[in-house]
Amino acid sequence: MYISIDIGGTNTRIASSENLKDISELTIFDSIHSLPEQKAKIEETINILAGGRPIEGICVGVPGVVVRETSAIQRAPNYPELNGVLLSDLLSAFSGSKLVLENDAALGALSEAVRGSGVGYYSVAYLTLGTGVGGALIENSEINKNRKVSEPGHMIINFDNTASDNLGYVGSLEAYTSGLSFENLYGQKADTCVDRGIWLRYGNNLATGISNIVLLWGPDIIVIGGGISDKFEYFIDGVSSKLKDYNFFAPPKIVKSAFEDKSGVIGGFVQLEQLLKS
């Protein structure tokens, strides 16, 4: 039995698998911004999913910077209660299992590169658009452990505006394209918005961030995930039209995530599979 956990600022997803290939069960609950209560809820859910069976490994994805050497959460802007927390403390009830900590976007990227929309490409860039904005680069179907965790959501795309993200970065990609910022900027929630004009502006802003990612990472393909990817058909035209203004390069293929909000937990199983085989 294996467990994969994707902790987000809004929702927490916990999945079980018998073979690291298929999800046996998946539980989703509202993230609790009280660490003791969140820890208790995670323990309760794992025990229900395991049903008394031994757990060989647990992978946890968190929305922030992790220190892989110590399995510590350095900083999680959209879940500050996790700042400084050790994985061994968060999952102290499961010390007998192999515990793995990783950035949530890196796990989402891994799932898409190995089993999803990025299969067949050497270099896969992944952007997750949700409560915040995260991203990662996967090369040769693996997370590069020598590369520090990337936070492309905090890149600056506009120096002339006052919109800021949860870290206070004024003019960041996250300040224009996250779920939280969407409602602040446009006065409605992203999941119910069908205004093509709004989505055109949203896509234009996203394209500026994507152009920077292409220039810095040079990926073969870009996969868009997270909750806002449900509106991919609405904003992709704005992305494509704006990218034509940046004619220094031919942009790579941009596609929607195959797994959407399950990318993180699936990536956790991929990570466990790779680590247990090594």
Side-chain angles (χ1 to χ4, degrees), residues 120-250:
Y121 293 88
Y122 176 83
S123 176
V124 179
Y126 175 77
L127 269 181
T128 175
L129 309 172
T131 304
V133 174
L137 178 69
I138 299 295
E139 294 178 309
N140 197 28
S141 299
E142 293 183 344
I143 295 173
N144 185 344
K145 299 301 176 57
N146 295 317
R147 181 193 296 272
K148 297 294 184 181
V149 171
S150 301
E151 288 291 346
H154 301 298
M155 75 170 79
I156 306 304
I157 64 168
N158 188 337
F159 288 96
D160 300 321
N161 207 299
T162 57
S164 63
D165 60 32
N166 280 359
L167 280 181
Y169 283 76
V170 177
S172 71
L173 178 62
E174 183 171 297
Y176 288 92
T177 59
S178 72
L180 289 176
S181 66
F182 193 97
E183 189 169 0
N184 292 333
L185 292 171
Y186 304 117
Q188 54 186 298
K189 294 183 180 297
D191 59 352
T192 57
C193 179
V194 293
D195 186 319
R196 292 283 180 177
I198 288 176
W199 284 112
L200 178 64
R201 296 198 297 276
Y202 178 92
N204 286 172
N205 288 325
L206 181 59
T208 302
I210 287 176
S211 70
N212 291 334
I213 286 171
V214 173
L215 289 169
L216 292 170
W217 287 353
D220 299 321
I221 189 171
I222 296 175
V223 180
I224 306 293
I228 296 180
S229 69
D230 287 343
K231 296 292 186 177
F232 185 86
E233 290 75 15
Y234 281 85
F235 64 72
I236 189 59
D237 288 344
V239 172
S240 300
S241 63
K242 186 65 175 178
L243 283 177
K244 292 177 182 177
D245 295 340
Y246 305 116
N247 57 9
F248 180 78
F249 56 84

Side-chain angles (χ1 to χ4, degrees), residues 40-52:
K41 182 66 175 179
I42 289 173
E43 289 181 3
E44 175 190 14
T45 304
I46 291 175
N47 286 327
I48 291 172
L49 292 176

